[in-house]
Amino acid sequence: MCPPDVFQELPKINADSQRLEQVLTNLVSNAVKFTPEGKSIVVKSELVNAKDLRYEECFTPILDKLEGEYILVSVKDEGIGIAKENLLHVFDKFAQIENSLSRKVGGSGLGLPIAKQLIEAHKGAIWCDSEEGQGTTFYFAIPVVTELQVIK
Ligand SMILES: Nc1ncnc2c1ncn2[C@@H]1O[C@H](COP(=O)(O)OP(=O)(O)O)[C@@H](O)[C@H]1O
Ligand SMILES: [Mg+2]
């Protein structure tokens, strides 16, 4: 049985649900692609304050701008992992890491840069952390309060 906090109700966000679904689909399909059979993939969402976020230094310019409360979604896999020096570059257009598995499975190298644009359109952020050979976690955070601007 799941602990009760797994079903914790999260605050509402101002978002385009189809676009967020597209981002999540991208992250989960990458996780499936780069994780061997029998290993696990965990998707989670939680309420966090930006000041409690921990991340690799390369993401500081993106993440230290965040303030206040966010819904944090994470996709954690037990796959091949990403070397620290490549964490930022996987968000570049048409970028794929040179290794036998990513070349074998194919892909356009556009999934993550598109996800980044969609998340930034929501005033959010997307980043990842990884241990090579152990697995990778992708995160995206969407602000809980985004005022709708009324144009007169
Ligand atoms: N979960 C993951 N584990 C390991 N490497 C990943 C993962 N997600 C993405 N990558 C790396 O980032 C690259 C870019 O991903 P993406 O932009 O989605 O393009 P594509 O999936 O078309 O290759 C992948 O080719 C792979 O090298
Ligand atoms: Mg992809």
Side-chain angles (χ1 to χ4, degrees):
M1 210 170 81
C2 294
D5 66 347
V6 169
F7 298 110
Q8 168 203 2
E9 189 141 341
L10 295 170
K12 291 206 167 19
I13 55 170
N14 204 348
D16 182 325
S17 59
Q18 266 183 307
R19 304 288 171 252
L20 292 191
E21 202 179 310
Q22 185 181 341
V23 172
L24 196 56
T25 306
N26 262 314
L27 298 182
V28 172
S29 63
N30 278 348
V32 170
K33 204 153 63 159
F34 297 108
T35 303
E37 236 180 284
K39 298 280 184 177
S40 76
I41 295 165
V42 178
V43 180
K44 203 164 104 177
S45 59
E46 60 199 301
L47 178 64
V48 295
N49 195 291
K51 67 175 168 22
D52 299 322
L53 294 173
R54 298 289 169 267
Y55 41 84
E56 285 293 324
E57 210 184 318
C58 59
F59 291 108
T60 306
I62 297 165
L63 284 153
D64 71 353
K65 293 193 191 92
L66 303 191
E67 256 183 14
E69 295 201 307
Y70 288 78
I71 300 292
L72 177 68
V73 178
S74 55
V75 179
K76 183 180 169 63
D77 68 49
E78 295 179 337
I80 58 172
I82 299 170
K84 295 286 179 201
E85 68 267 22
N86 289 330
L87 290 177
L88 202 55
H89 300 301
V90 295
F91 295 97
D92 293 345
K93 288 179 192 140
F94 303 113
Q96 284 187 328
I97 297 167
E98 175 72 273
N99 61 43
S100 56
L101 186 64
S102 65
R103 299 181 87 192
K104 198 173 77 190
V105 292
S108 66
L110 274 176
L112 291 172
I114 291 171
K116 186 173 157 70
Q117 287 193 342
L118 291 174
I119 293 300
E120 288 174 355
H122 286 78
K123 292 186 186 283
I126 184 167
W127 69 101
C128 59
D129 200 4
S130 186
E131 290 297 330
E132 252 187 308
Q134 306 283 303
T136 305
T137 307
F138 276 85
Y139 300 91
F140 67 85
I142 302 288
V144 167
V145 186
T146 305
E147 297 293 334
L148 255 191
Q149 190 195 344
V150 181
I151 304 167
K152 288 184 183 155

